[in-house]
Amino acid sequence: MKSNHRELKKEKDRFKGSTGAGVGVGVGAAGAPIGGGVPDSYFLRYNQVTVKEIPLTKSHFLDAYCKGKWNLSQVPQPPCFESGGFMEPPLCYNEDSRYKVVEKYMNLPHWNDKKLFKKLFGQLKRHLEVLGMSVSLVKGSKTFIKYETMLGLTDIPRSASIDAHALLSQGYFLLLDASMDWRTARNPLVNGPPHIKFYCGVPLIIDNVKIGILAIFSPYPKTEFDLDGCRKLQLLASQVINTLTTNYDDIVAKNTSKSSIPKTQFNNELAELTLKLGRATSKGSNLTLIDRDGSGGPYSQSGSFRFTKLSNLSPRDSKNLIDSELVRKLAYQLGSLKKAALNVTKLIATKYSLDFVYVIEVRIADPYRIKANCFPPDQNKIEAENYKYAKDLIKMPGQDYDFMSRVVGSYANENPQEPLQFEKQLHYKAFVSEFGIQVKRQSKHNKRDPRGGGYYSTGTLIPFHRQGSKLLRKYPIGGNKHKTEDPDRLIDIYLRSGGHLIGLFCNANKPELSVDQICDIFSTISVLRRIYITT
């Protein structure tokens, strides 16, 4: 059987422009990659530069926040984020791919039949002691409220939607007191009607895509809410999904002989909740607020609510930033990752007076060993994320990693006389770093002299896309070197990873990119990832 080592070699050969010594990123007069030999004198050697890790930026935080891999109920405020009590939820990591799925369920006839949802929610409201419930679909710039009690809104700007945070959370999104959370303390839905304090939302998932949120909320905070309550919500969410994915005519036919919930039953449930929570204070409005002390005095805030001043909650100085919406439209119009990368690299280079900007795709295979009994005996490849024996992986000293790369798009402000090539170790270091690296040629190599170790003197390397890593047997099951008799023996495996990097270089003594500039560049280049890479 052909070994996985040969498979890796075959993949490496497909990455045109890569060499054993480094990353082929030569550029011609029009900023397009070119081939040919590269003299050693033009390598920017790893041992001739100082390397500094890029700190966490706001864009990096939001990028991780939107991946749906964290439970976001309790997230400490990062040092890079000055929210002032309000955080606008970012778009989903796979926003473009979920759009069509959400659109399919936007205008179902089910939404017009409120009895369908009353039947589902009646008992749950009583058991969880809340009056406010909603079912929403999140699409584009809005959260569309498809069914609600005690909310009184048909849609909410996504920037103010707590459901849009819940859409990004793993499992559920729970706020015992939204007025005390750094992301929602100044949210209009918390500060004004319906004065949400307690909130719990779970995702509606169809075909592995989160289309919306089932939420419960209350104008009073809670001191606790156990996981059993979250599980009840998740069970109800699955029932909602079952309803939405069932033909409406079939539902009507099935329920023809059944009567709706009697009005007396609904009134009894409301009276029971009023005894526990207080009585309603709204008059002639579909927005009910509960007065805990039972005085019956109405709240002073108006029930009519506007979101016109949302921008004031999260001030952002945009005059020095690249217009991300303009980049998004441009990238869509160009129709391919290569064309978009060529144009966006030129835009970034021009905006920040950079001499050379490029986007490359990389593939890395790191050699490791691990005990045979720590690797599934019947599999050749497994997902590396959450691998329970990760601490037992043994890095192989003296064995070089396989590094493959190819240029996606590049732009050179000033073209050198010869093709350029940067040492692979810089790109490897950048890709395995958390947020990227900044490099600067050491003072003794300060001149633009081929003997000085490279054409460019400063640079920044930022990974903006990482695909899921895998652990791969070097010798597949059934191969000549695969033995099964000793579970404690060490087997050879590869840790395979890959993704995309952006490189930003200068050939003069210019100031290094600031954290704010890196933040903006990361947001800009991530547009390509959302449109062409992770869709």
Side-chain angles (χ1 to χ4, degrees), residues 289-301:
L289 299 177
I290 302 299
D291 181 17
R292 186 64 173 175
D293 62 12
S295 65
Y299 286 96
S300 60
Q301 287 87 348

Side-chain angles (χ1 to χ4, degrees), residues 391-464:
K391 293 182 179 180
D392 297 321
L393 288 169
I394 303 171
K395 179 73 173 176
M396 295 305 296
Q399 288 195 24
D400 197 13
Y401 49 85
D402 283 312
F403 188 95
M404 298 150 275
S405 67
R406 57 183 168 190
V407 177
V408 178
S410 63
Y411 176 80
N413 192 34
E414 178 186 350
N415 299 297
Q417 295 179 353
E418 301 178 72
L420 297 174
Q421 190 169 43
F422 296 115
E423 189 179 37
K424 71 174 184 180
Q425 195 168 354
L426 286 178
H427 294 80
Y428 175 84
K429 174 70 174 177
F431 192 76
V432 299
S433 69
E434 195 165 4
F435 308 116
I437 60 173
Q438 288 184 298
V439 298
K440 185 175 182 180
R441 193 166 53 197
Q442 295 172 5
S443 57
K444 63 181 179 179
H445 303 294
N446 236 355
K447 298 179 181 180
R448 284 179 52 181
D449 180 349
R451 293 172 297 178
Y455 188 79
Y456 295 108
S457 56
T458 61
T460 302
L461 291 160
I462 309 170
F464 65 93

